[in-house]
Amino acid sequence: MGENPSFSFWNAQWQEKFCERVRHIRANPQVDYWDKRARDFSAMRKSNGYDYGRKVYGALRSVLDAEASMLDIGAGPGSFVIPFAEHIKFVTAVEPSHEMANLLRGNAAEAGIDNYALIEEIMQDLPIGGELDAAFDLVTVSLVFWMYEDVWPLISQMEAYSSKYCAIIAEIPDHKNPRSASCCDVEEFQILYNMLISQGRFANVSVVDYRCERSVEDELQYRKLAYEQYAGDLTPAAQEKLRREVLAEARDGLCTVATRSAVIWWDRRDIVS
Ligand SMILES: C[S@@+](CC[C@H](N)C(=O)[O-])C[C@H]1O[C@@H](n2cnc3c(N)ncnc32)[C@H](O)[C@@H]1O
């Protein structure tokens, strides 16, 4: 890639931001963190009827029809599987966390969805050059790439599995909202978009606003896990501080989660070289 200075610049930006984030936290999350987060994450996505996935479907529906197939990498508790499977033929989910995968199965059953399959692996362990190649009309990845330092090989892998469209859904840090603008935020959307352009992928972007309410207990559970993962030991004093913060923010026993994400999508048949 050395011969493409624009790509080298944006790739270096990504790696710099990644290393800066990792320097400020205790540890980058691995699959065991998502096992612990599965319960509160699933409750959050379900609390408003999978509104996040429905909005992302809304941004992509013009390129999908009832016969379409999709691969969703890092599927979580079914955030996309459930709303997309209601409209398209088949969804294949890749989800390495056993707890997330169990919740996905339960959530799909509850929603009456059975036109899906689940692969319990990290994407890096999936084969390239096999039966997944060009097997899907759309390949999506939502809120996963921020955990990885070397992102271009993962984007190339998405493209290998798609015959038509790819979509990356990335959070846009909101620096006015302290709940989402922590030192952990990567400027994921801006860098990925520029990286794609530098490689001849002239991507479309739609912005999706997400808002849900969740119980004080679920918010506290999330904050405790995030504190242990990113900040330090969960001492009684730290727990008490988190509880006070959450109670101060809650209204009528509920906490609001508000985020903004970019749906960055492109047609892999239209790459300008
Ligand atoms: C923040 S959650 C996002 C879930 C879902 N995509 C959403 O937007 O609601 C990240 C998910 O990615 C999964 N994940 C982490 N690393 C992964 C990898 N290398 N390959 C596939 N999935 C991964 C985690 O287990 C977790 O369920």
Side-chain angles (χ1 to χ4, degrees), residues 34 41 45 52 74 76 79 95-96 122-124 142-144 148:
W34 297 109
F41 204 89
R45 289 296 187 235
Y52 175 68
S79 316
E95 178 46 61
I122 56 167
M123 69 180 291
Q124 292 87 337
S142 165
L143 312 182
V144 174
Y148 296 96

Side-chain angles (χ1 to χ4, degrees), residues 124-178:
Q124 292 87 337
D125 285 350
L126 299 179
I128 302 180
E131 62 183 22
L132 294 176
D133 279 36
F136 305 94
D137 298 302
L138 169 68
V139 177
T140 53
V141 173
S142 165
L143 312 182
V144 174
F145 284 166
W146 60 275
M147 289 176 273
Y148 296 96
E149 182 174 0
D150 201 8
V151 76
W152 189 256
L154 303 179
I155 295 175
S156 303
Q157 194 179 350
M158 290 178 77
E159 285 188 340
Y161 299 152
S162 173
S163 59
K164 296 178 185 145
Y165 301 100
C166 293
I168 301 172
I169 298 84
E171 215 167 286
I172 305 174
D174 174 2
H175 295 289
K176 285 180 270 172
N177 175 3

Side-chain angles (χ1 to χ4, degrees), residues 9 27 65 87 90 93 106 150 161 198 201 213 231 237 252 256-257 266:
F9 173 82
D65 61 32
H87 299 280
F90 202 81
D150 201 8
Y161 299 152
S198 75
R201 278 77 170 164
E213 316 259 73
D252 300 325
T256 301
V257 180
W266 69 101

Side-chain angles (χ1 to χ4, degrees), residues 236-264:
Q239 291 199 49
E240 184 48 33
K241 186 168 174 281
L242 291 177
R243 176 172 285 280
R244 274 203 306 271
E245 283 170 8
V246 170
L247 287 172
E249 284 169 32
R251 297 280 168 273
D252 300 325
L254 293 173
C255 294
T256 301
V257 180
T259 60
R260 174 165 277 205
S261 298
V263 182
I264 311 165

